[in-house]
Structures are given as structure tokens and as C-alpha cells.
Amino acid sequence: MRDMVDSQLVSRGIKNPQVLQAMRDINRSLFVPEPEKAFSFDDTPLSIGWGQTISQPYIVAYMTEKLQLKSTHRVLEIGTGSGYQAAVLSELVSQVFSIEKIPELASKARINLNANNFENITIKEDDGYSGWEKHAPFDAIIVTAAAPFVPEPLMNQLNEGGRMIIPLGPERGTQYLVQICRNNKTYIRQRLIPVRFVPFLSRNF
Ligand code: SAH
């Protein structure tokens, strides 16, 4: 894991010490299913079943760093998947809320996170398009599936001064990570790096 952090993250410019520490502390192999275990620390996304993937470690670190998290923050994730990104976030903030559309993945992630004593993560099985009004506003929102546009409810559930990071673009073709900062009722967008994510599955798109 030390090697993963140094050779994949530090070498590519990830600097935030808390993010690097969280990536050192949290064992990615806990979130990788049996057939893929041998590749747990590889520089690549891996299959987690149901056509979904656990993201490449660098992308997890990059998105987490961009959120500029504080220990008091409450964060919303759309796309729990394996629960790995949620686990990394949970070490950096006070509360993580995560929504997963595929029931089997939501339940597997919940069981795995509980078994490994991640206590500040709450998972809901639902379409994340509508966010989680009950717990809004969020200081940070991270979307881990590619959408054609930013769902309006997520914009509304972002706190003043909050940040969102979301992959935007078509399922096949070029997607970009986009960062959105909310400031005095305005939203400032910035296009970051090209990426390849699984699609955001919603009836609203
Ligand atoms: N963050 C995950 C990677 C997730 S892959 C990890 O650390 O492992 C993207 C996930 O988004 C998949 O599990 C997929 O089922 C989920 N997803 C896709 N569309 C969704 C939607 N509308 N609402 C919630 N989850 C969704």
C-alpha cells in the first residue's frame, strides 16, 4: 500500500497529507472481490460485479484532494460501488452519506464497511439523481458515475462555499471531471482532467 501511494499518487502530484494518509491507512483489498484480489494495489480500476468498477486509486485520490475537505464536513457520494471511496472520505470528514442504485452493491458495501468499523458512513439504496434532501446541505458532493449534465437537486443540496466533483460526458467518448464551487448563490465550474467512468444510471437522463 505504501508503494501504491508513492508510485501512483505522490509521483503524479497528489500532495494533501491527509489524503495520502487516508490512502495509506485504508486497505483497498478489503473492497476488491475475491477474483481480483491479487490486483488490489494495481494502477487500474477493477471489476466489482454487476458491470461496475472500483475506481483507479489515483482517481480516488485526485477527486478527494479536489474537494478540499475539513474534519467538520458532511459529504454526499453518489455511487457507493465497493465502498472504497466512501471509506477514504470517512477518514477525512465527520459524516459520509452515500447512495447506490444497485441493491446488491449497496448491501455488500454496507456489510463490509460495518465489519471493518467504518461508523460514520450511511448508505442508501436509491437513484442518486435526487440527492439526499433529508441530510442536505452538504459541504462536498462527489459523483462517481458519468452523467450527461449535473442533476439539479445536487446543485441545490450543495452548501454555500461547498464543492462538487462530477464526471460529465457520454458513456462512450470523452468525459471530464468537472469541479463546481458554490459561492454567494453562484456556481463556478472548472473542467479538470479527462476520465472514463461507468454511466450514471437514472430515469431522469
Ligand atoms: N465509488 C465507487 C466506484 C463506483 S462505480 C467505489 O469506490 O467503489 C459507480 C457506481 O455508481 C456503481 O456502483 C453504480 O451502480 C452506481 N450508480 C450508477 N448510477 C447511479 C445512480 N443513479 N444512483 C446511485 N448510484 C448509481
Side-chain angles (χ1 to χ4, degrees):
M1 262 187 308
R2 174 170 298 278
D3 190 51
M4 178 188 96
V5 170
D6 290 338
S7 70
Q8 300 172 31
L9 311 185
V10 178
S11 68
R12 290 193 183 112
I14 304 294
K15 289 197 172 67
N16 182 305
Q18 284 87 27
V19 173
L20 292 171
Q21 193 56 48
M23 300 282 298
R24 284 200 173 93
D25 291 345
I26 293 160
N27 184 351
R28 188 170 183 249
S29 77
L30 293 174
F31 300 90
V32 173
E34 206 49 63
E36 307 265 43
K37 284 268 192 224
F39 312 111
S40 292
F41 306 112
D42 285 8
D43 189 14
T44 171
L46 295 168
S47 168
I48 56 171
W50 293 273
Q52 307 303 326
T53 55
I54 175 173
S55 303
Q56 181 190 11
Y58 172 67
I59 294 296
V60 172
Y62 181 89
M63 293 174 83
T64 308
E65 183 169 70
K66 285 288 175 196
L67 292 173
Q68 298 189 2
L69 299 168
K70 297 200 170 81
S71 59
T72 52
H73 280 174
R74 299 162 66 261
V75 179
L76 175 67
E77 178 190 29
I78 310 299
T80 315
S82 68
Y84 177 60
Q85 173 75 72
V88 170
L89 292 167
S90 81
E91 192 165 302
L92 301 166
V93 301
S94 75
Q95 280 290 319
V96 178
F97 300 91
S98 187
I99 307 177
E100 170 56 51
K101 184 137 195 280
I102 299 177
E104 292 87 346
L105 286 174
S107 118
K108 272 187 80 163
R110 190 182 286 122
I111 290 166
N112 195 22
L113 288 164
N114 282 340
N116 288 288
N117 301 315
F118 290 97
E119 281 160 8
N120 57 346
I121 304 174
T122 313
I123 293 173
K124 173 166 87 155
E125 175 200 319
D126 204 350
D127 178 350
Y129 185 95
S130 306
W132 204 333
E133 188 59 47
K134 187 173 149 202
H135 296 293
F138 302 98
D139 304 297
I141 299 179
I142 176 169
V143 180
T144 66
F149 57 84
V150 185
E152 188 74 29
L154 300 185
M155 298 285 261
N156 297 333
Q157 291 174 24
L158 193 60
N159 208 356
E160 258 316 307
R163 283 166 183 259
M164 178 178 348
I165 188 153
I166 177 169
L168 292 180
E171 181 175 349
R172 280 168 234 284
T174 317
Q175 306 165 358
Y176 282 90
L177 280 180
V178 173
Q179 175 182 276
I180 297 160
C181 301
R182 180 172 185 170
N183 255 315
N184 297 324
K185 307 266 177 257
T186 67
Y187 293 87
I188 299 156
R189 280 187 186 227
Q190 196 186 342
R191 198 165 85 168
L192 306 170
I193 56 172
V195 286
R196 179 160 293 274
F197 274 82
V198 293
F200 193 122
L201 312 160
S202 175
R203 274 181 299 147
N204 297 294
F205 291 133

